[in-house]
């Protein structure tokens, strides 16, 4: 269990802890602040953030910009990876492969998922994190994979 995941567990047990953790998350990875992710879940094999629609993430047609959604997907993946990576190992994204299925007219929930077996391989190895973006009504708007390279920690 990483110190990031331990901090998440401690803070989210307190009032306003989730918001405080999100502020620290954005301070640690400042690019995520561009989409102001609302952290919904951080757990082994699952990370969830919500990107709300606001002027800072809108494109020229008034929907959430594709790259803002990609940023949300990467934030969800980072939460999952920090909660899942085995002691003595580290991870780094190797890319991102997304299919934008339709426009994103409102807030989007970005979900990252893996299976436990994905992490039980000899190091180094690749873990393919499945990501999906859905609207409040369940409509899938984005799906894809973020491959991670898992190696021994230095």
């Amino acid at each position: 269990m990483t110190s990031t995941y331990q901090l998440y567990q401690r803070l989210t047990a307190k009032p306003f802890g989730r918001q405080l953790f999100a502020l620290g998350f954005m301070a640690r990875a400042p690019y995520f602040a561009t989409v102001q992710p609302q952290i919904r879940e951080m757990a082994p094999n699952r990370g969830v953030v919500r990107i709300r629609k606001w002027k800072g993430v809108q494109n020229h047609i008034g929907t959430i910009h594709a790259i803002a959604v990609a940023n949300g997907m990467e934030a969800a993946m980072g939460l999952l990876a920090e909660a899942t990576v085995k002691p003595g190992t580290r991870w780094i994204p190797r890319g991102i492969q997304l299919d934008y299925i339709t426009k994103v007219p409102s807030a989007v929930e970005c979900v990252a998922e893996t299976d436990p077996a994905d992490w039980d391989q000899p190091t180094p190895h690749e873990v393919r994190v499945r990501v999906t973006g859905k609207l409040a009504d369940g409509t899938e708007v984005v799906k894809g994979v973020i491959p991670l390279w898992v190696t021994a920690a230095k």
Side-chain angles (χ1 to χ4, degrees):
M1 180 181 314
T2 65
S3 59
T4 304
Y5 187 42
Q6 290 172 338
L7 180 62
Y8 172 83
Q9 290 180 316
R10 278 197 321 269
L11 287 177
T12 56
K14 300 176 190 237
F16 302 104
R18 192 172 305 276
Q19 293 88 337
L20 185 59
F21 180 81
L23 290 172
F25 183 64
M26 289 183 284
R28 177 95 176 178
Y31 187 68
F32 292 144
T34 63
V35 296
Q36 300 176 357
Q38 298 170 335
I39 297 172
R40 298 290 198 214
E41 185 177 349
M42 179 183 190
N45 301 298
R46 186 168 166 85
V48 181
V49 302
R50 180 179 179 270
I51 305 299
R52 66 184 175 86
K53 182 180 174 186
W54 62 285
K55 186 174 175 67
V57 297
Q58 286 183 20
N59 57 24
H60 65 287
I61 59 173
T63 61
I64 297 179
H65 194 281
I67 298 304
V69 177
N71 196 352
M73 298 292 184
E74 191 169 1
M77 172 278 303
L79 293 169
L80 171 153
E82 282 296 300
T84 312
V85 70
K86 304 275 188 242
T89 61
R90 63 183 181 173
W91 58 273
I92 189 164
R94 295 182 92 174
I96 190 167
Q97 302 151 8
L98 297 176
D99 294 323
Y100 296 95
I101 300 165
T102 188
K103 296 175 192 169
V104 184
S106 60
V108 61
E109 185 172 82
C110 302
V111 179
E113 295 179 309
T114 56
D115 297 316
D118 296 337
W119 298 86
D120 291 334
Q121 300 174 38
T123 302
H125 69 277
E126 184 177 87
V127 172
R128 295 181 59 79
V129 179
R130 299 177 306 276
V131 292
T132 186
K134 293 184 179 180
L135 303 179
D137 67 2
T139 302
E140 187 176 51
V141 292
V142 179
K143 67 178 178 177
V145 173
I146 302 175
L148 301 181
W149 189 236
V150 180
T151 63
K154 289 189 179 184

